Amino acid sequence: MNTKEQKLEAFSRLLDIMDDLREKCPWDRKQDLQSLRHLTLEEVYELSDALLQEDLPEIKKELGDVLLHLVFYAKIGSEKGSFDIADVINSLNEKLIFRHPHIYGDVEVQDEEEVKQNWEKLKLKEGNRSVLSGVTKGTPSMVKAYRIQDKVKGIGFEFASAEDAWKKVEEELAEFHAETDRDKKEQELGDVFFSLINYARLSGINPDSALERTNIKFISRFQKMEKLALAKDLKLEELSLEQMDELWEEAKILLK
C-alpha cells in the first residue's frame, strides 16, 4: 500500500489535473453544478453495483469516478468564491471530531448502538430541527424508509425485537387485504412495505441490497432462459406460461 506522502502526492496531482481540465478542455470548461448532477448519480449507482458484486478492481475504478466529481464540484465552488476542496475537507474534519466525542473527548460508550444514538443527538445540537432533517427528498423510497427507521431508532423510537416488527407486518398485511378502496389499498401497501423494511433492518438485513441482489439474479436467469429458447429455436412470446416455466427451471439449474 502507498505511504501517506504518496497518497497526498496523488491527491495533489488530481487537483492539478482538475485545474488543467477546467482551463483547457472545452467539455470540462462547460460543466456546471446542474450539468454534473445527473452524471454524479450515474457514477454512484455504478459504484453501488460494483459494491454489491464485491468486484474490488471495479470498486477502485468507480471510486475514482466519484472522487473526480467531488473534486469537480469543489473546483466550481472555488471559481464562485464560495468554497474550495480544503474548505470541504476541513468542514468534514470538524464534523467528524464533534460527532465522535468518545474518540476526541471524554464521553464513554458501550457499543455501536450507543455511538449511533449520540450521533443523532449531536446532530440536533448542531442546529438540525428534526431527527429526520437529514433524510433527503430525492432518496429512493426503500433507502429513504430504511434511513427514517434507522434515524428514529437513535432516540429510542424502535420495536423491542424483530419478532415484534413482524407482528406489525402481519397487522399491515391484514389491513391491506381487507381494504377495497383502490387509493386506500395503495396506502396500506405502502404500510406493508414500510413494515417489511423495518423487519428486515431489525433482522440485520439491508432490504435495498436484498432486492437488488434479487433483481440481478432474475436478470441473469431470464437472460439464460432467452438463450435456452434461442438454442431450441423457440420464441418466448409464443410459448405458454407452463412452457416458459420449464425453461425458467432449467435456467435455474444451469446457473447454480
Side-chain angles (χ1 to χ4, degrees):
M1 291 288 101
N2 293 291
T3 64
K4 186 174 183 178
E5 289 73 20
Q6 289 172 320
K7 294 172 184 176
L8 292 172
E9 182 181 350
F11 190 66
S12 177
R13 186 182 177 207
L14 173 60
L15 295 179
D16 289 340
I17 291 172
M18 185 73 256
D19 289 342
D20 288 339
L21 295 178
R22 192 65 173 166
E23 178 185 351
K24 303 172 184 178
C25 175
W27 187 89
D28 289 281
R29 192 166 54 236
K30 184 180 179 181
Q31 303 313 306
D32 58 27
L33 297 176
Q34 299 308 316
S35 67
L36 286 173
R37 190 185 69 84
H38 74 281
L39 298 176
T40 304
L41 292 174
E42 289 180 17
E43 296 297 352
V44 172
Y45 280 120
E46 288 176 6
L47 173 60
S48 176
D49 289 342
L51 290 169
L52 282 171
Q53 299 295 329
E54 296 192 18
D55 185 338
L56 293 178
E58 192 67 15
I59 290 172
K60 180 183 73 172
K61 171 182 172 294
E62 298 302 341
L63 281 172
D65 291 341
V66 171
L67 178 58
L68 170 61
H69 280 244
L70 301 181
V71 170
F72 210 146
Y73 288 123
K75 175 64 176 176
I76 295 173
S78 69
E79 292 169 353
K80 292 178 177 292
S82 180
F83 61 86
D84 61 18
I85 192 66
D87 296 318
V88 172
I89 295 172
N90 285 330
S91 177
L92 173 62
N93 290 341
E94 293 304 317
K95 180 171 71 172
L96 290 173
I97 290 170
F98 178 75
R99 293 189 187 177
H100 290 81
H102 54 289
I103 302 296
Y104 300 103
D106 55 7
V107 173
E108 295 185 4
V109 294
Q110 299 298 318
D111 52 29
E112 174 193 2
E113 290 306 319
E114 197 168 340
V115 170
K116 291 171 71 174
Q117 289 175 11
N118 285 341
W119 181 278
E120 295 300 335
K121 292 174 183 176
L122 288 168
K123 286 179 68 176
L124 291 175
K125 286 185 178 180
E126 289 175 336
N128 289 311
R129 295 183 178 181
S130 169
V131 171
L132 299 177
S133 60
V135 180
T136 57
K137 294 180 180 179
T139 304
S141 298
M142 181 174 290
V143 177
K144 184 186 293 185
Y146 188 95
R147 292 289 293 143
I148 288 169
Q149 295 163 4
D150 198 45
K151 282 181 171 294
V152 298
K153 174 187 178 181
I155 60 165
F157 194 63
E158 175 79 303
F159 281 110
S161 66
E163 289 71 22
D164 288 343
W166 182 253
K167 292 177 183 177
K168 185 63 175 177
V169 173
E170 293 178 327
E171 175 187 321
E172 297 295 352
L173 272 171
E175 292 178 4
F176 169 73
H177 286 302
E179 187 58 65
T180 57
D181 180 82
R182 187 184 182 283
D183 289 338
K184 291 182 179 178
K185 199 172 186 70
E186 181 182 273
Q187 294 176 29
E188 295 296 344
L189 183 59
D191 291 344
V192 171
F193 288 154
F194 194 86
S195 299
L196 274 172
I197 291 167
N198 203 27
Y199 171 73
R201 183 181 58 81
L202 282 163
S203 299
I205 298 169
N206 186 300
D208 184 68
S209 297
L211 181 58
E212 184 57 22
R213 290 180 187 279
T214 295
N215 290 338
I216 293 170
K217 179 173 63 177
F218 184 93
I219 290 170
S220 177
R221 287 178 179 175
F222 191 84
Q223 290 177 339
K224 186 65 175 179
M225 188 173 76
E226 289 176 317
K227 290 179 181 178
L228 288 172
L230 184 63
K232 297 179 180 182
D233 198 26
L234 299 171
K235 293 183 178 180
L236 287 179
E237 63 271 20
E238 296 177 355
L239 301 179
S240 66
L241 180 58
E242 290 74 16
Q243 290 172 312
M244 284 192 283
D245 196 46
E246 289 177 6
L247 287 174
W248 177 263
E249 293 300 324
E250 187 177 346
K252 284 175 61 176
I253 293 171
L254 292 172
L255 289 172
K256 282 184 178 179

